[in-house]
Amino acid sequence: MSNTAQVDQWQKITTVEEIPVLGARVIEAPAGQIAIFRNSEDEVFAVLDKCPHKGGPLSQGIVHGKSVTCPLHSWNIDLSTGCAVAPDEGCAKSFAVKVESGVVWLNREELQASHGRS
């Protein structure tokens, strides 16, 4: 695969510095509203901004470790997978993230896919 094809696979979204520590920034994509999270270790995660429980805005939740707590009903969502932590069940779509030199990139194909928006 050529280097150009690899670059075209990823879309530049923001920089790590533009995402609040222990917070999120929301982007609009054909896939829906996507929350880009940053934890205290500067790890970056991307999840559809919709809790699998009642659709609460995960971007407004509290980030702790590699999880976020939904602000509506306190479900804990694993930011690596988008899945609820047991005993709760269900998953929000997670997105592949690449960080290079402080720039956050998301997979272009995943951004274009519809995920059952309502």
Side-chain angles (χ1 to χ4, degrees), residues 32-98:
Q33 289 191 326
I34 300 170
I36 315 294
F37 293 92
R38 177 181 176 194
N39 71 9
S40 61
E41 282 85 43
D42 288 335
E43 294 173 297
V44 177
F45 307 90
V47 176
L48 201 61
D49 193 21
K50 194 172 183 179
C51 180
H53 177 227
K54 297 278 185 178
L58 294 175
S59 61
Q60 295 177 26
I62 297 171
V63 177
H64 46 95
K66 294 183 182 188
S67 298
V68 63
T69 300
C70 179
L72 293 186
H73 301 102
S74 299
W75 276 36
N76 289 316
I77 307 299
D78 182 321
L79 291 171
S80 299
T81 64
C83 292
V85 177
D88 298 320
E89 296 179 353
C91 294
K93 166 70 180 140
S94 62
F95 295 83
V97 177
K98 177 171 76 167

